[in-house]
Amino acid sequence: MDSEEMKYLVVNRKEIVPSVQSDWASKKLIWVPHDVLSFCAAGIIGEEGDYLTVLLEESGKKVKVARDECQKMNPPKYNKVEDMSELVCLNDASVLFNIKDRYFSDLIYLM
């Protein structure tokens, strides 16, 4: 395949910025259930027994969610990965995010 066709299949991993990785680690990001978006990225700001206090990335609201309802988020270096079996955290939220991320980046074709 030529480079024109490959742009719809493969992500250029050289474009990943290292500072994004450190931001992800410092915010302790996870996926929490959301009524409209199915799952929403959130940063953990507190823990009380079986509940987490999180700050939703999309709205900036603080909410309490049950620890069991949360799903782990993959590090940014796995964003738009071609083969989802490579994901460190293979869960519903991560798969859905990866598909949406690839689609909105015109990388809709998975190998």
Side-chain angles (χ1 to χ4, degrees):
M1 287 190 246
D2 65 13
S3 63
E4 183 65 26
E5 294 169 332
M6 289 302 287
K7 75 178 186 180
Y8 296 106
L9 295 172
V10 181
V11 174
N12 184 356
R13 296 286 170 204
K14 294 177 185 172
E15 294 176 0
I16 297 174
V17 181
S19 65
V20 173
Q21 183 78 15
S22 63
D23 288 346
W24 171 83
S26 66
K27 290 182 181 178
K28 299 182 195 174
L29 293 176
I30 57 171
W31 295 112
V32 296
H34 191 274
D35 294 334
V36 177
L37 304 172
S38 298
F39 295 97
C40 178
I44 300 172
I45 55 176
E47 299 182 33
E48 287 182 32
D50 291 337
Y51 289 90
L52 299 173
T53 304
V54 297
L55 183 65
L56 300 178
E57 292 285 309
E58 53 95 22
S59 66
K61 285 194 221 175
K62 288 183 185 178
V63 294
K64 273 192 176 182
V65 291
R67 189 182 298 267
D68 294 344
E69 294 178 359
C70 300
Q71 296 183 19
K72 292 183 179 181
M73 185 181 282
N74 288 289
K77 73 177 187 176
Y78 292 101
N79 289 355
K80 301 176 191 158
V81 69
E82 293 86 23
D83 183 358
M84 286 197 240
S85 67
E86 295 176 11
L87 294 174
V88 173
C89 304
L90 188 58
N91 53 46
D92 297 340
S94 294
V95 169
L96 179 61
F97 173 76
N98 193 53
I99 290 170
K100 285 169 51 176
D101 200 21
R102 287 185 60 84
Y103 179 82
F104 290 115
S105 299
D106 290 330
L107 295 166
I108 59 175
Y109 304 104
L110 300 175
M111 294 182 183

